[in-house]
Amino acid sequence: MFTELKREAYEANVALPRHGLINLTFGNASAIDRAKGAFAIKPSGVDYAALSPADMVVVDLDGRRVEGRLNPSSDTPTHRRLFLAFPGVGGVVHTHSSHATAFAQAGRPIPIFGTTHADYFNGEVPVTRRMTPEEIASAYEWETGNVIVERFAALDPADFPGVLVNRHAPFTWGPSVGKAVETAVAVECIAHMALMSLRLAPDLEPIEAELLAKHFKRKHGAGAYYGQA
Amino acid sequence: MFTELKREAYEANVALPRHGLINLTFGNASAIDRAKGAFAIKPSGVDYAALSPADMVVVDLDGRRVEGRLNPSSDTPTHRRLFLAFPGVGGVVHTHSSHATAFAQAGRPIPIFGTTHADYFNGEVPVTRRMTPEEIASAYEWETGNVIVERFAALDPADFPGVLVNRHAPFTWGPSVGKAVETAVAVECIAHMALMSLRLAPDLEPIEAELLAKHFKRKHGAGAYYGQA
Amino acid sequence: MFTELKREAYEANVALPRHGLINLTFGNASAIDRAKGAFAIKPSGVDYAALSPADMVVVDLDGRRVEGRLNPSSDTPTHRRLFLAFPGVGGVVHTHSSHATAFAQAGRPIPIFGTTHADYFNGEVPVTRRMTPEEIASAYEWETGNVIVERFAALDPADFPGVLVNRHAPFTWGPSVGKAVETAVAVECIAHMALMSLRLAPDLEPIEAELLAKHFKRKHGAGAYYGQA
Amino acid sequence: MFTELKREAYEANVALPRHGLINLTFGNASAIDRAKGAFAIKPSGVDYAALSPADMVVVDLDGRRVEGRLNPSSDTPTHRRLFLAFPGVGGVVHTHSSHATAFAQAGRPIPIFGTTHADYFNGEVPVTRRMTPEEIASAYEWETGNVIVERFAALDPADFPGVLVNRHAPFTWGPSVGKAVETAVAVECIAHMALMSLRLAPDLEPIEAELLAKHFKRKHGAGAYYGQA
C-alpha cells in the first residue's frame, strides 16, 4: 500500500548516518502522505545498516499502526504532533548530531552569524523551554511535540524549519523529508561554525537584517533565484 | 574449545577502530563465558588490521592462560578484576577515545547534560581517584581494576556501565561485549557533546532528575519500551 | 567549444567535497580562458554527486551565458568581478569550509601563526568590511566582488591568494583553478590551526617577518626552490 | 642499489596521509641505511597519490644525491642534521598535523597529562626556541635541525622521540621509520587530547612521576612487558 512512502522514508533514514548526523541508533526520519493521513517512520532501535524499505512502519495521524510488523520509533508521537500542527510539512527528521545537540543541551538557540545560516533559517535556530516534570511523566514524546508547537506560537515553520529541544537534540522539517534531511545537515554545520565564531568573538551580534533577508529570500519565496527552478 | 567466545571478542575488538575509538593499538575488548569461568581478550600490542579470531587469548579468572599462543593484553588483570567484582558483566571494553580520555586526564567526570547521555548512564560518568605510588609500583593493572571497584562501592555497574580511570582513559562494560562496545561509542559521543556544552555554558547544571529517570528507564528495566523487544 | 575549460572547472568543483570543504551545495569553482574572455562555472544548486563536465556553464566577462543549458551559480557575478579586477587570476574557488567560515562570520582575519600559513599567504588572510544595506539590496553578488576588490586596493592578489568575505565565507584564487582549490584547502587548514593556537595563547603575535619571507619565497617568485620545477 | 630502503621510506610516506597527518603536500619521511651512510626521502612537492617507491631520493650524510632523478624534499637538510646528531635513529618523520602544529605555532610544549602520552614520551613533547633572523636567512633547513639538536643538549632522543619546531610543526623519529610514523600519530593524538584537557582544567599539572615511569617503562627498556617481544 505505502511502498513509495516507505521507500522515501527509508532513503531519508539511511542518509542520516551517511551525512555523519547519527551516533549509534539515535535519530529517525518520517515522510507523510497527506491524502491518506499516514506517515512512514523508522522502526525503534534497529541498526541503520540492517534497515530495508519494508521495515518502515506506517502510522496514521491518530497514532495507529496501519502497516508494518515492527514497533515504530519511540519518538513517533513527536513526529505525529508536528505533522498535525504544521500542515505544510511533508517530512520530519530527528538527530542527535553532535554540535547541534551541544547547543540543545546548553538550552541556547544557535545564533545567526552568517549567510550559510541565512540560506536555511530566517533567524536563529530556536530552542524550546525545558519540559516540566508533569510533561515528562505523562505522554513524554507527545509532550515533546507540544513544547515545540508552543515555541512556534509566533513563528512560521516555513521560515524556521527546525528547532532544538532543550536538554535533548534537534528536530528539522520541510516540504519533503529529503529537504528535512538537508536542513538537518545545515543545522549541524551552522552549529559547528557558530560555536567557533563565538570562541573568536564571544559577544558577536547576529547578522544584519538586510543580509539575512537577502540570503533567505534568494532561496525561499516568490523572488527566489537560487538553483534551476 | 572457546571458538565462539573468541569470535565474539574478536568482533568487538575490530569494531573499536571502525567506530573511531582507537588510535594506534590503544584499546581492547574481552568477552567472558561465566559457566567456564574464562574470558577471551585481545593479544598485547597486535595491530587491529592483522588480528584474527584465532589470535584471541583465553584467560581464566585466576589469571592463567588457558588457550592461545600470544601474550594477552597488558590490561588483562584490569578486565579480570572487573569480571570478578561485577558478576552481571559479560564483556569489558577499554579505549583511549579522544574526548573521553580528555575528561579522564583532567580527572573530571562527564556531566550529564542531555538525553543522549541519560539513555546510557543513570547519572554522570564517574571518574576514579588517582592511583597511589604504591598501587602503581605493585600490580599496576590489577590495582587499576581495584580503583574502579572502589569507585563503585555505592554505584550499581548496571546503572553506570563505564568509568573514567583518572589520568588514563575510559572502561565500559555490559551484559555482552557487543553492548560494552556500544557504550564505549556512547561515552565518546557524550564526552564530545559535554565539552562543547560546557564551552557554551560553563556553569551548566545536570539535567533534571525526571528527565534522567525517563530516558534511562525508556531503555533499561521492566518498564523499558525502546526497541523491538 | 569550451570542452577543455569545462573539464577543468568540473575537476575543480568535484575536488571540493573530496577535500571536505563543502557542506550541501555550498561552494563553486570557475576557470577562465583569458584569450576567449569567458569562464566555466558550476551550475546553481546542483548536487556535486550529479555533476558532469557538460553541466558546466560558460559565461563571458560581460556576464552573458555563452554555453550551457543550466543557470550558472548564483555567485557568478562575484567570480566575474574578480576575473575583471585580477588579470593574473586563472581560477576562482568559493567554499563555506567550516573553520575559515567561522573567522569570516566573526569578521576576523586569519592571523599568520606559522610556516604552513606562510607557504601560501604573504601575511594574514584578509577580511572584507561588512556590506552596506544598499550594496546588499542592489546587485548583491557583484557588490560582493566589489568589497573584495576594495580590500585589495593595497594588496597584491598574488601575495594574498584569498579573502574572507565578512559574515559570509572564503574565496580563493590562483594562476589556475587547480591552484585555487589547493589554496582553499590551505585556508581551511590554517584557520583550524590558528583557532587552536589562539586557544593556547590568546595574545599570540604573528610570526617574525624573516620567517614569513623565507617560507613564502621558498614557494613563490624567482628564488623559489620548493618542488620539482 | 637502495631498493629496500626506498620501499621502506615510500611505505612510511604514504602512511602519513592514511593516518590523517598530512594536509596537501606538507610532510615527509626518511629511512637511513647506517652501513651505507645514506637515507631515502620523499621528493619535493610531489602529491602523495602520485608517489611510487622509485621516486624516493637517496641522499648521503654529506648531502649529496646518490640515487634518484627528482629533487629531494626541501626539508632534507633537517633530516640529515638529525641523522648526524642522533646515531640511534633509523627514520625521521615530519608532518604539519593540525593539533600538534597548533602547539608548535603557539611555542608551547605538549604537557603530559595521561598514560597515552607516557606510553611514547618520557615527559612533555619539547619545543625548540624560535630561530634567529640569521639562522633563517642562511641555511634555513639545516639550521632547523640545529635548533632541534640544541634543544636536545640535555635530553635523550630515545626518551623523547620527537619535538615541536617553534612556529613550524612536529618532527618525530625512532629506531625505524615505521616507528617514527607511529610516534607522529601519537603526537597528533596526545596534542588533541591535551588541548581538550586544558580546556576542562586550565591549570592541570602533569601526571605523577610514578605513573609516567610505569607507562614509559612498560613499553621501553629492559623491563618492558607490552607486546609480544
Side-chain angles (χ1 to χ4, degrees), chain C residues 1-84:
Chain C
M1 288 260 302
F2 292 94
T3 309
E4 176 54 24
L5 190 70
K6 290 196 287 187
R7 196 203 50 77
E8 190 186 344
Y10 165 78
E11 297 291 351
N13 274 291
V14 296
L16 300 179
R18 201 170 63 229
H19 284 293
L21 301 180
I22 298 291
N23 291 299
L24 304 161
T25 60
F26 292 120
N28 37 69
S30 66
I32 193 166
D33 181 329
R34 287 281 174 187
K36 294 183 180 157
F39 59 97
I41 192 166
K42 184 172 171 283
S44 181
V46 173
D47 198 325
Y48 284 89
L51 226 49
S52 81
D55 292 333
M56 296 298 114
V57 186
V58 181
V59 176
D60 69 17
L61 286 173
D62 295 322
R64 281 175 302 230
R65 180 165 51 176
V66 296
E67 197 171 301
R69 290 159 299 102
L70 298 167
N71 296 334
S73 164
S74 56
D75 295 316
T76 299
T78 316
H79 289 246
R80 186 162 68 88
R81 187 70 193 90
L82 296 178
F83 283 128
L84 286 168

Side-chain angles (χ1 to χ4, degrees), chain D residues 70-120:
Chain D
L70 298 168
N71 297 334
S73 165
S74 56
D75 295 316
T76 299
T78 316
H79 289 246
R80 186 162 68 90
R81 187 70 194 89
L82 297 178
F83 283 128
L84 286 168
F86 302 157
V89 163
V92 171
V93 167
H94 173 46
T95 80
H96 286 212
S97 71
S98 299
H99 296 85
T101 301
F103 276 90
Q105 292 189 153
R108 286 185 64 166
I110 307 174
I112 182 161
F113 288 146
T115 62
T116 323
H117 186 138
D119 280 334
Y120 284 89

Side-chain angles (χ1 to χ4, degrees), chain A residues 197 199 215 218 225-228, chain C residues 25 44 71 102 140-141 199:
Chain A
S197 291
R199 209 191 296 156
H215 267 265
R218 280 215 306 187
Y225 60 94
Y226 183 90
Q228 301 299 330
Chain C
T25 60
S44 181
N71 296 334
Y140 170 64
E141 291 85 0
R199 209 191 296 155

